[in-house]
């Protein structure tokens, strides 16, 4: 982290050390952990940051329930969590996902914002034994009680003239969770628009749709084991958004207000605080069968959500909230 800030943080005040650590933190540093910490602490400059890790696996998958129970049993926890991990819904039991989802609801009531990367497989693709196939949603990205972050990129290799959707940006519709009311009107508008949609047999359009928002997800530089490395993906976009939310919370706290907490109702009520990404190819899906995923469009779409946050508009809207 100090090396990263020495390279990229000379132009602004920042912290160069993590304030608090919870859970195992030994051995060589991991790529995901470095990426998350370096960008959440540079975008959310001067905000105290906790590194919270949970070891082990649950039936070969991420130990999300153990982590959430740890949070429930801890009286003082951070107001924002940025998470760049996930599993395919298909690999987890419905009961297990619903149990974790209950914990997401509980932590939202406590005023905590939880952001998850949408994944880097586009719409995803699962092939059955009979060689038929379907789209592959991810969890916890598909939970209605987390904020899911997709990815964008610049339209040109050497220019930042415009943004387009990154075709690896995970997105689509859950096969487990119903569509929450806060997004019904928005998502129905997308589905009923003139945008080209995949065949409805590949996804459940009546369920929770994601991502909610997006951010740049390409050409990120990090320091790992003292080496400079270029990385990409929604794992980069998520801490970027989380850092901006942290600054919005900071502005609210300085004004005597509470933190934003569960973000999605605020997001869907304030679409104008985002740069609407309308360019880009459809998201990836079953490319062996020449099947594209979802299209980018005006307004919300299952590639970029509402688009990328405009920081000044974000903070202004946050300050207007009660």
């Amino acid at each position: 982290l100090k090396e990263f800030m020495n390279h990229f943080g000379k132009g602004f005040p920042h912290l160069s050390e993590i304030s608090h650590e919870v859970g195992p933190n030994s051995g060589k540093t991991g790529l995901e952990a470095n990426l998350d910490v370096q960008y959440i602490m540079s975008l959310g400059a001067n905000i105290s940051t906790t590194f919270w890790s949970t070891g082990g696996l649950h039936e070969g998958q991420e130990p999300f329930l153990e982590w959430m129970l740890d949070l429930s049993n801890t009286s003082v926890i951070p107001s924002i969590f940025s998470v760049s991990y996930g599993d395919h819904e298909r690999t987890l039991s419905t009961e297990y996902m619903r149990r974790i989802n209950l914990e997401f609801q509980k932590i939202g009531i406590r005023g905590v914002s939880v952001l998850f990367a949408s994944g880097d497989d586009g719409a995803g693709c699962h092939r059955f034994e009979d060689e038929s196939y379907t789209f592959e949603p991810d969890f916890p990205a598909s939970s209605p009680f987390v904020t899911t972050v997709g990815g964008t990129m610049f339209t040109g290799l050497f220019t930042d003239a415009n943004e387009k959707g990154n075709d690896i940006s995970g997105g689509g519709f859950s096969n487990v969770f119903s569509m929450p009311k806060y997004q019904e009107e928005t998502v129905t508008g997308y589905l009923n628009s003139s945008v080209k949609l995949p065949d409805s047999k590949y996804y459940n359009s009546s369920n929770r749709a994601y991502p909610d928002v997006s951010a740049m997800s390409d050409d990120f530089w990090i320091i790992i084991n003292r080496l400079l490395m270029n990385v990409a993906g929604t794992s980069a976009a998520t801490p970027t958004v989380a850092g901006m939310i942290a600054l919005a919370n900071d502005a609210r706290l300085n004004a005597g207000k509470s933190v934003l907490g569960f973000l999605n109702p605020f997001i869907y009520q304030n679409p104008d605080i985002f740069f609407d990404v309308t360019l880009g190819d459809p998201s990836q899906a079953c490319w062996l069968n020449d099947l594209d995923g979802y299209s980018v469009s005006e307004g919300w779409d299952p590639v970029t959500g509402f688009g990328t946050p405009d920081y000044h508009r974000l903070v202004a809207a946050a300050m207007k909230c009660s």
Side-chain angles (χ1 to χ4, degrees):
L1 178 60
K2 289 181 179 179
E3 290 286 333
F4 177 84
M5 291 300 185
N6 285 336
H7 274 82
F8 302 111
K10 294 180 179 179
F12 58 93
H14 59 268
L15 300 177
S16 294
E17 292 185 359
I18 293 170
S19 303
H20 188 52
E21 297 177 10
V22 179
N25 183 23
S26 60
K28 289 187 176 181
T29 55
L31 187 152
E32 293 284 6
N34 274 285
L35 173 59
D36 278 10
V37 167
Q38 289 168 20
Y39 277 89
I40 198 172
M41 290 188 68
S42 53
L43 270 295
N46 275 344
I47 304 293
S48 298
T49 301
T50 297
F51 179 77
W52 196 303
S53 64
T54 302
L57 296 171
H58 171 82
E59 297 181 355
Q61 307 295 342
E62 303 294 343
F64 290 123
L65 182 57
E66 181 181 352
W67 167 57
M68 291 303 300
L69 292 176
D70 285 344
L71 296 182
S72 292
N73 292 323
T74 305
S75 57
V76 179
I77 59 176
S79 59
I80 299 174
F81 282 90
S82 174
V83 188
S84 296
Y85 297 91
D87 301 307
H88 297 318
E89 281 187 347
R90 175 183 50 83
T91 64
L92 303 168
S93 71
T94 298
E95 293 77 11
Y96 180 67
M97 287 186 282
R98 292 194 184 280
R99 181 65 183 84
I100 299 172
N101 202 50
L102 177 61
E103 294 299 322
F104 287 143
Q105 294 178 62
K106 289 161 63 177
I107 202 172
I109 292 172
R110 293 177 66 182
V112 175
S113 306
V114 182
L115 291 82
F116 270 89
S118 69
D120 298 336
D121 297 321
C125 183
H126 175 67
R127 288 179 174 79
F128 299 100
E129 291 183 1
D130 63 0
E131 296 189 359
S132 63
Y133 44 90
T134 187
F135 291 168
E136 181 93 286
D138 283 351
F139 178 84
S142 63
S143 167
F145 296 101
V146 305
T147 300
T148 307
V149 183
T152 67
M153 58 196 303
F154 289 129
T155 52
L157 185 60
F158 300 109
T159 176
D160 58 358
N162 208 338
E163 278 182 84
K164 64 179 181 180
N166 191 336
D167 64 1
I168 68 167
S169 178
F173 296 81
S174 173
N175 287 323
V176 176
F177 301 106
S178 300
M179 185 178 294
K181 287 188 177 181
Y182 63 72
Q183 68 170 185
E184 282 181 353
E185 181 178 354
T186 295
V187 177
T188 300
Y190 173 82
L191 294 170
N192 292 337
S193 70
S194 59
V195 68
K196 181 181 179 181
L197 295 172
D199 192 307
S200 60
K201 68 181 180 181
Y202 298 122
Y203 60 98
N204 190 336
S205 63
S206 63
N207 279 355
R208 154 69 161 152
Y210 70 97
D212 303 297
V213 300
S214 57
M216 289 296 298
S217 60
D218 189 50
D219 205 24
F220 277 61
W221 290 96
I222 66 169
I223 301 289
I224 180 168
N225 297 318
R226 296 187 178 276
L227 297 175
L228 192 62
M229 178 181 293
N230 187 266
V231 298
T234 57
S235 294
T238 308
T240 297
V241 175
M244 297 173 71
I245 297 297
L247 292 180
N249 277 345
D250 187 57
R252 286 178 57 84
L253 290 170
N254 286 330
K257 297 174 178 284
S258 63
V259 295
L260 288 168
F262 176 50
L263 296 170
N264 291 9
F266 167 74
I267 288 171
Y268 283 80
Q269 291 166 11
N270 292 278
D272 292 339
I273 66 176
F274 300 95
F275 174 76
D276 187 8
V277 179
T278 60
L279 303 175
D281 295 328
S283 57
Q284 297 178 4
C286 302
W287 59 272
L288 287 175
N289 301 90
D290 293 324
L291 175 64
D292 288 331
Y294 304 97
S295 297
V296 180
S297 73
E298 292 185 2
W300 181 92
D301 60 69
V303 183
T304 67
F306 279 112
T308 55
D310 180 306
Y311 173 70
H312 296 290
R313 292 181 180 179
L314 167 65
V315 173
M319 295 304 293
K320 291 178 182 178
C321 286
S322 57

